[in-house]
Structures are given as C-alpha cells and as structure tokens.
Amino acid sequence: MVSVIIPAHNEASVVGRLLSRLLADAAPGEFEVWVVANGCTDDTAEIAGAFADVKVLIAPEANKHAAMRLADEHAEGFPRLYVDADVEFGARDVRALAAAFDDPGVLAAGPSRALPPERRPWTVRWFYDVWDQLPVVRAGLFGRGVVGVSREGWERLRALPPLLGDDLAASLLFEPAQRRVVSESTVIVHPPRTAGALLRIRTRALVSTLQAADDSELSSASDSARTSLSDLRAIALASPVRATPKVAWFLVLTVATKIRARRAVRAKDFRTWHRDDTSR
C-alpha cells in the first residue's frame, strides 16, 4: 500500500482540489492518505475529513517538518509520498511514481513538473521559462511539491535534522542513481501570481540551500543545487533574441533573492516559512 502524507497549514482553499483528484480514480483503500492539519485557523481539517478514505491528524503548531513526522508515526505503507496541499496530483500519477521503486536501487523519486503560465505576469513567466530549463532543476527532486521514498530512503531521510527545505534535502541526500524523476507521473505546480510572491518563495529556497550547506551530510552535495553561469549562458545562446532578456531578468531576481536570503542567514532565521498565498 502506498502512503500519501499531506501536511496542510490553512489550506482550506486547495486541499479539497488535491484530494478530489487524488482519489477520483483510486480503488477503495488503494492508498493510505493522511492529512496533517498543522496550526490551522480555517476549515482544512473539516474539508479533508469529509473524504471517506482520508485520515486527519491535527497538530497545534504550524510546522511542516513536525507535521510530516507526526504522520510518519501513524502511516504504515511504502513507498511513502509527501505531497504539498497546493499542488494537483492524481491517482494515475501516484501509481506511476510508486512503480519507480520496483527498480532496485531507487530510494527517492519525484514526478515530472507542469507549471501553468496562465494569468501570470511576465515577471513570473520569464523566471520560470529559464528556471525550468536548468539541468539542476530538471534532475533534482525539489520544487515539485511531491517527493516519494522507499523504506530505506525514508530511514535515511528521517535521520536528518529538521530542515526548511524538506524536498531539497531529499534531493541532495541521494546519489543521482538512487533518485529518479518519473516522466509518466506529472504534478501540477501553480506558480505565484506576483513578482513579490515569487521573490518570497525563492528566498525560502535559497535559505534552504544555505542551510543544507551547513549540514555535514548534505554539504558536499549542496553546490549541485545551485545555478551555474554556464547553464544560464547556454540557455541564452540557444535563442539569443527571446531568451537573453529572460536570463537577464532571472539574474536580477536571483541577486535580489541572495540579498534577502543572506539577511535571513545572518539573523539565523531558518524557521520563517515564506509562503505564497497568491496561487491559492
């Protein structure tokens, strides 16, 4: 049985969308689904609890890492999938992702990523046009909103200390041969609707990378999660007229992100969750 764990903090506007799609084509009892309503002041728990095949846990503190660990105490199935409440992910996609673990040596896996551009300003679209072409983004498990692990992978992952970027940790902890992006499985990730919201979540991502660099088990791999100038140059040269302005904007936003992230690191702030509410 596949276990699906969904940490949810004030996700009343989207958790029903995810669960409806997740369970629409699932056989009764096919998946073990846990929603952890953590620190909620809205109807997240009530909405999730209205689905017959969903088990709901309630945690008083808004803490994603703690919410996942709470569900781990109750979940029994493997592979185990951790799914963000604001994405869209169907039963077929769960099955395809779970099938990846039939191959020996695969300890972690994620789905392919779809980023709908509709109703997003150019400041957001241009960033993702570049970001989604970066080799590190295509190969990594981060930024997908879904990470699956085998039992062995789960045991390695839970041994890590709490990190702001749980999906980044899952990507860095495993060697390329031990992780897989499954093209037959697709998750819809809704981008921010404003440049300000994009800057906030990019700051969170960079703080996560810097935090991982300080972890003894992840530090050697943390550089692999960073964007290289050679990759950006290759994107610009592939289509100079169209891509060069986008790469330039990507660099502007990246510099702004680094400034904000370094302030957070100097303040030793590895707990603030920079959330995007515009896409919800």
Side-chain angles (χ1 to χ4, degrees), residues 39-54:
C40 292
T41 57
D42 64 2
D43 297 331
T44 296
E46 290 76 10
I47 293 171
F51 289 83
D53 290 329
V54 175

Side-chain angles (χ1 to χ4, degrees), residues 7-267:
H9 169 65
N10 286 343
E11 300 286 13
S13 62
V14 292
V15 69
R17 177 184 67 187
L18 168 61
L19 293 172
S20 294
R21 183 163 181 170
L22 184 68
L23 298 172
D25 299 321
E30 181 179 2
F31 308 137
E32 180 192 36
V33 182
W34 294 89
V35 172
V36 187
N38 59 104
C40 292
T41 57
D42 64 2
D43 297 331
T44 296
E46 290 76 10
I47 293 171
F51 289 83
D53 290 329
V54 175
K55 302 173 185 178
V56 178
L57 297 169
I58 298 177
E61 181 184 5
N63 185 309
K64 183 179 180 181
H65 180 85
M68 293 190 297
R69 296 293 81 83
L70 176 61
D72 280 333
E73 295 176 7
H74 296 79
E76 298 179 353
F78 285 97
R80 188 159 297 176
L81 276 55
Y82 299 95
V83 181
D84 289 351
D86 60 335
V87 303
E88 295 186 57
F89 197 57
R92 180 190 65 83
D93 303 299
V94 172
R95 296 185 194 106
L97 188 61
F101 294 96
D102 292 339
D103 292 345
V106 176
L107 304 184
S112 61
R113 182 195 300 109
L115 295 160
E118 293 83 4
R119 293 186 292 173
R120 268 63 181 180
W122 69 266
T123 51
V124 173
R125 296 196 313 272
W126 283 16
F127 175 86
Y128 282 108
D129 284 348
V130 176
W131 182 79
D132 201 37
Q133 294 184 63
L134 295 170
V136 65
V137 172
R138 290 182 173 273
L141 300 183
F142 54 85
R144 301 178 188 277
V146 178
V147 174
V149 288
S150 66
R151 182 182 292 274
E152 181 183 348
W154 173 75
E155 290 174 349
R156 290 177 57 179
L157 192 61
R158 71 170 180 165
L160 290 176
L163 295 173
L164 188 63
D166 53 282
D167 55 351
L168 176 64
S171 187
L172 297 179
L173 184 61
F174 304 104
E175 298 293 331
Q178 297 174 327
R179 64 178 190 259
R180 181 168 300 174
V181 175
V182 181
S183 59
E184 296 83 5
S185 177
T186 302
V187 60
I188 298 175
V189 180
H190 295 276
R193 295 184 184 275
T194 68
L198 174 60
L199 184 58
R200 285 194 294 274
I201 64 170
R202 294 310 305 160
T203 298
R204 184 184 75 208
L206 183 53
V207 170
S208 300
T209 302
L210 296 174
Q211 186 184 22
D214 287 335
D215 184 272
S216 59
E217 193 162 357
L218 301 178
S219 58
S220 61
S222 62
D223 286 343
S224 66
R226 301 178 190 240
T227 301
S228 71
L229 289 176
S230 60
D231 289 333
L232 292 174
R233 189 180 301 113
I235 292 172
L237 291 176
S239 180
V241 175
R242 296 184 59 188
T244 299
K246 295 179 180 181
V247 170
W249 171 244
F250 181 94
L251 286 169
V252 168
L253 197 122
T254 299
V255 169
T257 299
K258 286 184 177 180
I259 293 172
R260 290 168 61 107
R262 285 170 180 166
R263 288 175 185 165
V265 171
R266 284 197 298 269

